[in-house]
Amino acid sequence: GGMPKKIKYCPCAKDLLGDLNKIVEALKGGQRAGAMSLLNRQLELKGSRACLLALKGMTQLQMQDLEGVAKTAQEFLQAHPDNPVACALSAIAAAAGADRDLAVARLQRALADPAEEIHEIVYEAIGAVAHLLVQTGDVIAARAHLGRMVDMLPEGDSGPRQLLMRLDGSPGVPLLLKQDWDLSPPPPEALWRDACQAALEVAERGAWSEALQRFQALAEELPNEPRVWRNIAVLAGNLAQTAVAADAWHRYAALAGEDLDDAVEAEALAQLLSAAEHPVLPEVTQTYAVLDTDRVLERLLSEKHVDRISGDLSSLGSDESPPPKAAFWLLDRALPHSGEGLTFDQVPAILGEMYLFGRETDREARLEFVTTKTPDIEAKMESVRQLLAEFGGELRKEEQVGEVPASSAALTWRWRVPNDVTAAQRNALIEQKRRDIHLNVWPDTPLPELDGKRPAEVAADPQYRVRLLAAILLLELAAEQGNMEFDFNELRAKLGLPLRQDLDPAVLEDRRVTLPRIHLVPAEKLSDDQLTSIYMLAMLYRATRAVRRMAVEILRRPSLKTGLNQAEICHSLYAFARNADDALEWIHRAQQEAIEAKQSPARYLLQELELRRLRGEPQECQQIMLQLQTQHGREPGVAQALYAWLTQIGAITPDGRPAAPPQAAGGGTAAAPAGGGIWTPDQPAAPPAGSSKPSIWVPGME
């Protein structure tokens, strides 16, 4: 029951032993309703005994009666406010109600109990809170709770470890948030050593809230001690106290200047956690009056800086309103007739989307303009008014439909390239544009991380050195997460900042390399064991640059030819390839390695099939399908996988009848294969079914 003594030694429960045995036997026999009846009867007779309430809560959990758990937890807490089981039940109830702060707080009260053994309901509460933290996007706290569960996993429970691995392998989670941040011990000679050690011992049993309070008290006495602030940052992160963690990481970075890399990574994490507080720009829908729909449509079709969005617009209608008559992109310049000789600064930028609606029974004809309220919003609005001219133009209303970070909006772009631009040409244009953004636009963009100043303005100021390097590191990690290629040392060099250099392999002997630095370990200087270990670690956390560097070195070494699956190594390089050509090269290599190892290459052929489809190569698709059918059709799962693929692309209907032939995505340009990491842009397309507006590919940084 969460009490400090076992039931048979506890005076408050000796008179219940016989009845408790009946309840337990009923539960063992699966008779939960009977057990609940016995429990309720004993609670009426004996009052709110801890053992009875604990069993009742456990039974309700098994019955998935979360409303009942909440009521039992409330009664339990009133009768036994500090009982860990009561607090744990309350945490589970709060997690079920998506009350994150209450769930974390109640769980911390449960973990404050110094008992050596943790109650099974407390363990379940850690899991409930961890799942809620995953849902709320509190990655650091979720990982901390899951890690706590992994340390105490009962036999047969692999769920927490699997969820943690999925979180660590997710492409949508920034690498910095996957880093394990250990608490720092005090220096041996420090006068505050005993106080620090006592706080660490409290934290060791998961009572992070109490430990945080102890370190915050230490910070008042030692405001310039970096280890104290680091521990505050780690513990606050574990507790999903994002603002507290961000402030502590800022303070630690400012004090930890003797280790520049540590300071930069700490400051980068602080900036990442503070991003939600940065200025945002609203995305809006502006509605303009239209007096003559036909004349406005004629004008929009004739203007060179307006481009029609082709495709079926019926999905944009609703019960309240029919779909628009037509949809257009408003461009900042005329769309070139051809992409021949096109340079990146000649490609038209998309200023927004326009949807033209006809007159309805109770509604006038209108044009809806969807855009972001960037500093040039007045110029955009004037362009719309000029297009409508004497046939409308009066702004009827404006509705906010979303928001984007102001700094992100300044560094992203949307393009409309001519239809004859090839995938290779488009990729080259994007690389040129991205290079211009990073080297020329970003250094001249005011950033909240720099007190609203421009990177070029503060590059020589020591006060901003760590903050500026951290901002660049975040750009670099975002590029890695998006599988984009750019050497950010060029940017550092342009601003006169220290470059990121390869690490000395000797560092592996006395400290762990952080995830943002793992790609700086020189693969060619590592032993086979070190190389294999770092490759596996990089794969686990999806550190793509490290995967590429380590994998290429593994394939180069004859000593690792038999110890590692060479086809799988090639497949990892396929999955994290930066473009479709590289991906094709590595998936071919994977097939060859599988054949040499006397393994079936069918899995890799299936992935090449999807890649070929995305590249718009129907003949190659036919050849691969024939190869799969004739050479591998009898292998387990191959026929089913091929059938599923044909159904997914619409080549056959779910009942197996022929349908439309496979089509290349985006008019024949390469995109990302399912499960892979190929980042290749596509041209703007018609709106997908069910969307509220056309889906426009937006290149650049997020």
Side-chain angles (χ1 to χ4, degrees), residues 468-480:
L468 180 53
L469 285 169
I472 295 174
L473 178 59
L474 285 179
L475 286 180
E476 186 173 12
L477 293 175
E480 177 177 7

mmCIF file with all atom_site columns, all heavy atoms in Angstrom, residues 468-480:
data_model
loop_
_atom_site.group_PDB
_atom_site.id
_atom_site.type_symbol
_atom_site.label_atom_id
_atom_site.label_alt_id
_atom_site.label_comp_id
_atom_site.label_asym_id
_atom_site.label_entity_id
_atom_site.label_seq_id
_atom_site.pdbx_PDB_ins_code
_atom_site.Cartn_x
_atom_site.Cartn_y
_atom_site.Cartn_z
_atom_site.occupancy
_atom_site.B_iso_or_equiv
_atom_site.pdbx_formal_charge
_atom_site.auth_seq_id
_atom_site.auth_comp_id
_atom_site.auth_asym_id
_atom_site.auth_atom_id
_atom_site.pdbx_PDB_model_num
ATOM 1  N N   . LEU A 1 468 ? 26.798 33.608 -30.977 1.00 0.00 ? 468 LEU A N   1
ATOM 2  C CA  . LEU A 1 468 ? 26.838 33.571 -32.436 1.00 0.00 ? 468 LEU A CA  1
ATOM 3  C C   . LEU A 1 468 ? 27.247 32.189 -32.937 1.00 0.00 ? 468 LEU A C   1
ATOM 4  O O   . LEU A 1 468 ? 26.653 31.643 -33.873 1.00 0.00 ? 468 LEU A O   1
ATOM 5  C CB  . LEU A 1 468 ? 27.800 34.639 -32.959 1.00 0.00 ? 468 LEU A CB  1
ATOM 6  C CG  . LEU A 1 468 ? 27.963 34.737 -34.485 1.00 0.00 ? 468 LEU A CG  1
ATOM 7  C CD1 . LEU A 1 468 ? 26.612 34.872 -35.166 1.00 0.00 ? 468 LEU A CD1 1
ATOM 8  C CD2 . LEU A 1 468 ? 28.877 35.911 -34.841 1.00 0.00 ? 468 LEU A CD2 1
ATOM 9  N N   . LEU A 1 469 ? 28.246 31.600 -32.304 1.00 0.00 ? 469 LEU A N   1
ATOM 10 C CA  . LEU A 1 469 ? 28.657 30.246 -32.692 1.00 0.00 ? 469 LEU A CA  1
ATOM 11 C C   . LEU A 1 469 ? 27.533 29.247 -32.448 1.00 0.00 ? 469 LEU A C   1
ATOM 12 O O   . LEU A 1 469 ? 27.352 28.299 -33.222 1.00 0.00 ? 469 LEU A O   1
ATOM 13 C CB  . LEU A 1 469 ? 29.901 29.836 -31.909 1.00 0.00 ? 469 LEU A CB  1
ATOM 14 C CG  . LEU A 1 469 ? 31.217 30.474 -32.360 1.00 0.00 ? 469 LEU A CG  1
ATOM 15 C CD1 . LEU A 1 469 ? 32.327 30.192 -31.345 1.00 0.00 ? 469 LEU A CD1 1
ATOM 16 C CD2 . LEU A 1 469 ? 31.627 29.960 -33.743 1.00 0.00 ? 469 LEU A CD2 1
ATOM 17 N N   . ALA A 1 470 ? 26.770 29.452 -31.385 1.00 0.00 ? 470 ALA A N   1
ATOM 18 C CA  . ALA A 1 470 ? 25.644 28.560 -31.103 1.00 0.00 ? 470 ALA A CA  1
ATOM 19 C C   . ALA A 1 470 ? 24.564 28.696 -32.168 1.00 0.00 ? 470 ALA A C   1
ATOM 20 O O   . ALA A 1 470 ? 23.964 27.699 -32.593 1.00 0.00 ? 470 ALA A O   1
ATOM 21 C CB  . ALA A 1 470 ? 25.068 28.874 -29.727 1.00 0.00 ? 470 ALA A CB  1
ATOM 22 N N   . ALA A 1 471 ? 24.304 29.923 -32.606 1.00 0.00 ? 471 ALA A N   1
ATOM 23 C CA  . ALA A 1 471 ? 23.299 30.129 -33.650 1.00 0.00 ? 471 ALA A CA  1
ATOM 24 C C   . ALA A 1 471 ? 23.722 29.444 -34.949 1.00 0.00 ? 471 ALA A C   1
ATOM 25 O O   . ALA A 1 471 ? 22.895 28.856 -35.660 1.00 0.00 ? 471 ALA A O   1
ATOM 26 C CB  . ALA A 1 471 ? 23.089 31.625 -33.882 1.00 0.00 ? 471 ALA A CB  1
ATOM 27 N N   . ILE A 1 472 ? 25.012 29.500 -35.256 1.00 0.00 ? 472 ILE A N   1
ATOM 28 C CA  . ILE A 1 472 ? 25.515 28.815 -36.451 1.00 0.00 ? 472 ILE A CA  1
ATOM 29 C C   . ILE A 1 472 ? 25.409 27.304 -36.280 1.00 0.00 ? 472 ILE A C   1
ATOM 30 O O   . ILE A 1 472 ? 25.055 26.573 -37.219 1.00 0.00 ? 472 ILE A O   1
ATOM 31 C CB  . ILE A 1 472 ? 26.965 29.236 -36.750 1.00 0.00 ? 472 ILE A CB  1
ATOM 32 C CG1 . ILE A 1 472 ? 27.021 30.727 -37.101 1.00 0.00 ? 472 ILE A CG1 1
ATOM 33 C CG2 . ILE A 1 472 ? 27.555 28.406 -37.893 1.00 0.00 ? 472 ILE A CG2 1
ATOM 34 C CD1 . ILE A 1 472 ? 28.429 31.273 -37.271 1.00 0.00 ? 472 ILE A CD1 1
ATOM 35 N N   . LEU A 1 473 ? 25.714 26.818 -35.079 1.00 0.00 ? 473 LEU A N   1
ATOM 36 C CA  . LEU A 1 473 ? 25.605 25.378 -34.830 1.00 0.00 ? 473 LEU A CA  1
ATOM 37 C C   . LEU A 1 473 ? 24.165 24.904 -35.039 1.00 0.00 ? 473 LEU A C   1
ATOM 38 O O   . LEU A 1 473 ? 23.940 23.821 -35.605 1.00 0.00 ? 473 LEU A O   1
ATOM 39 C CB  . LEU A 1 473 ? 26.069 25.056 -33.412 1.00 0.00 ? 473 LEU A CB  1
ATOM 40 C CG  . LEU A 1 473 ? 25.957 23.573 -32.996 1.00 0.00 ? 473 LEU A CG  1
ATOM 41 C CD1 . LEU A 1 473 ? 26.774 22.677 -33.920 1.00 0.00 ? 473 LEU A CD1 1
ATOM 42 C CD2 . LEU A 1 473 ? 26.392 23.394 -31.544 1.00 0.00 ? 473 LEU A CD2 1
ATOM 43 N N   . LEU A 1 474 ? 23.190 25.682 -34.611 1.00 0.00 ? 474 LEU A N   1
ATOM 44 C CA  . LEU A 1 474 ? 21.798 25.300 -34.824 1.00 0.00 ? 474 LEU A CA  1
ATOM 45 C C   . LEU A 1 474 ? 21.465 25.251 -36.313 1.00 0.00 ? 474 LEU A C   1
ATOM 46 O O   . LEU A 1 474 ? 20.726 24.366 -36.764 1.00 0.00 ? 474 LEU A O   1
ATOM 47 C CB  . LEU A 1 474 ? 20.865 26.274 -34.110 1.00 0.00 ? 474 LEU A CB  1
ATOM 48 C CG  . LEU A 1 474 ? 20.783 26.138 -32.589 1.00 0.00 ? 474 LEU A CG  1
ATOM 49 C CD1 . LEU A 1 474 ? 19.831 27.188 -32.021 1.00 0.00 ? 474 LEU A CD1 1
ATOM 50 C CD2 . LEU A 1 474 ? 20.314 24.745 -32.192 1.00 0.00 ? 474 LEU A CD2 1
ATOM 51 N N   . LEU A 1 475 ? 21.985 26.196 -37.078 1.00 0.00 ? 475 LEU A N   1
ATOM 52 C CA  . LEU A 1 475 ? 21.803 26.140 -38.531 1.00 0.00 ? 475 LEU A CA  1
ATOM 53 C C   . LEU A 1 475 ? 22.401 24.851 -39.095 1.00 0.00 ? 475 LEU A C   1
ATOM 54 O O   . LEU A 1 475 ? 21.796 24.172 -39.934 1.00 0.00 ? 475 LEU A O   1
ATOM 55 C CB  . LEU A 1 475 ? 22.472 27.342 -39.206 1.00 0.00 ? 475 LEU A CB  1
ATOM 56 C CG  . LEU A 1 475 ? 21.817 28.710 -39.099 1.00 0.00 ? 475 LEU A CG  1
ATOM 57 C CD1 . LEU A 1 475 ? 22.666 29.738 -39.836 1.00 0.00 ? 475 LEU A CD1 1
ATOM 58 C CD2 . LEU A 1 475 ? 20.411 28.684 -39.666 1.00 0.00 ? 475 LEU A CD2 1
ATOM 59 N N   . GLU A 1 476 ? 23.590 24.520 -38.626 1.00 0.00 ? 476 GLU A N   1
ATOM 60 C CA  . GLU A 1 476 ? 24.300 23.336 -39.119 1.00 0.00 ? 476 GLU A CA  1
ATOM 61 C C   . GLU A 1 476 ? 23.530 22.063 -38.769 1.00 0.00 ? 476 GLU A C   1
ATOM 62 O O   . GLU A 1 476 ? 23.389 21.158 -39.604 1.00 0.00 ? 476 GLU A O   1
ATOM 63 C CB  . GLU A 1 476 ? 25.698 23.304 -38.506 1.00 0.00 ? 476 GLU A CB  1
ATOM 64 C CG  . GLU A 1 476 ? 26.593 22.215 -39.047 1.00 0.00 ? 476 GLU A CG  1
ATOM 65 C CD  . GLU A 1 476 ? 28.012 22.338 -38.519 1.00 0.00 ? 476 GLU A CD  1
ATOM 66 O OE1 . GLU A 1 476 ? 28.247 23.121 -37.580 1.00 0.00 ? 476 GLU A OE1 1
ATOM 67 O OE2 . GLU A 1 476 ? 28.890 21.639 -39.053 1.00 0.00 ? 476 GLU A OE2 1
ATOM 68 N N   . LEU A 1 477 ? 23.036 21.970 -37.547 1.00 0.00 ? 477 LEU A N   1
ATOM 69 C CA  . LEU A 1 477 ? 22.298 20.781 -37.128 1.00 0.00 ? 477 LEU A CA  1
ATOM 70 C C   . LEU A 1 477 ? 20.957 20.682 -37.856 1.00 0.00 ? 477 LEU A C   1
ATOM 71 O O   . LEU A 1 477 ? 20.492 19.577 -38.167 1.00 0.00 ? 477 LEU A O   1
ATOM 72 C CB  . LEU A 1 477 ? 22.090 20.799 -35.620 1.00 0.00 ? 477 LEU A CB  1
ATOM 73 C CG  . LEU A 1 477 ? 23.356 20.660 -34.774 1.00 0.00 ? 477 LEU A CG  1
ATOM 74 C CD1 . LEU A 1 477 ? 23.036 20.810 -33.291 1.00 0.00 ? 477 LEU A CD1 1
ATOM 75 C CD2 . LEU A 1 477 ? 24.035 19.313 -35.031 1.00 0.00 ? 477 LEU A CD2 1
ATOM 76 N N   . ALA A 1 478 ? 20.321 21.815 -38.124 1.00 0.00 ? 478 ALA A N   1
ATOM 77 C CA  . ALA A 1 478 ? 19.073 21.802 -38.885 1.00 0.00 ? 478 ALA A CA  1
ATOM 78 C C   . ALA A 1 478 ? 19.323 21.330 -40.312 1.00 0.00 ? 478 ALA A C   1
ATOM 79 O O   . ALA A 1 478 ? 18.513 20.594 -40.887 1.00 0.00 ? 478 ALA A O   1
ATOM 80 C CB  . ALA A 1 478 ? 18.435 23.190 -38.887 1.00 0.00 ? 478 ALA A CB  1
ATOM 81 N N   . ALA A 1 479 ? 20.444 21.745 -40.883 1.00 0.00 ? 479 ALA A N   1
ATOM 82 C CA  . ALA A 1 479 ? 20.795 21.287 -42.228 1.00 0.00 ? 479 ALA A CA  1
ATOM 83 C C   . ALA A 1 479 ? 21.043 19.786 -42.232 1.00 0.00 ? 479 ALA A C   1
ATOM 84 O O   . ALA A 1 479 ? 20.636 19.076 -43.156 1.00 0.00 ? 479 ALA A O   1
ATOM 85 C CB  . ALA A 1 479 ? 22.029 22.035 -42.730 1.00 0.00 ? 479 ALA A CB  1
ATOM 86 N N   . GLU A 1 480 ? 21.711 19.280 -41.188 1.00 0.00 ? 480 GLU A N   1
ATOM 87 C CA  . GLU A 1 480 ? 21.927 17.838 -41.092 1.00 0.00 ? 480 GLU A CA  1
ATOM 88 C C   . GLU A 1 480 ? 20.601 17.105 -40.949 1.00 0.00 ? 480 GLU A C   1
ATOM 89 O O   . GLU A 1 480 ? 20.379 16.069 -41.589 1.00 0.00 ? 480 GLU A O   1
ATOM 90 C CB  . GLU A 1 480 ? 22.827 17.516 -39.900 1.00 0.00 ? 480 GLU A CB  1
ATOM 91 C CG  . GLU A 1 480 ? 23.043 16.021 -39.697 1.00 0.00 ? 480 GLU A CG  1
ATOM 92 C CD  . GLU A 1 480 ? 23.993 15.705 -38.568 1.00 0.00 ? 480 GLU A CD  1
ATOM 93 O OE1 . GLU A 1 480 ? 24.400 16.620 -37.836 1.00 0.00 ? 480 GLU A OE1 1
ATOM 94 O OE2 . GLU A 1 480 ? 24.329 14.517 -38.405 1.00 0.00 ? 480 GLU A OE2 1
#
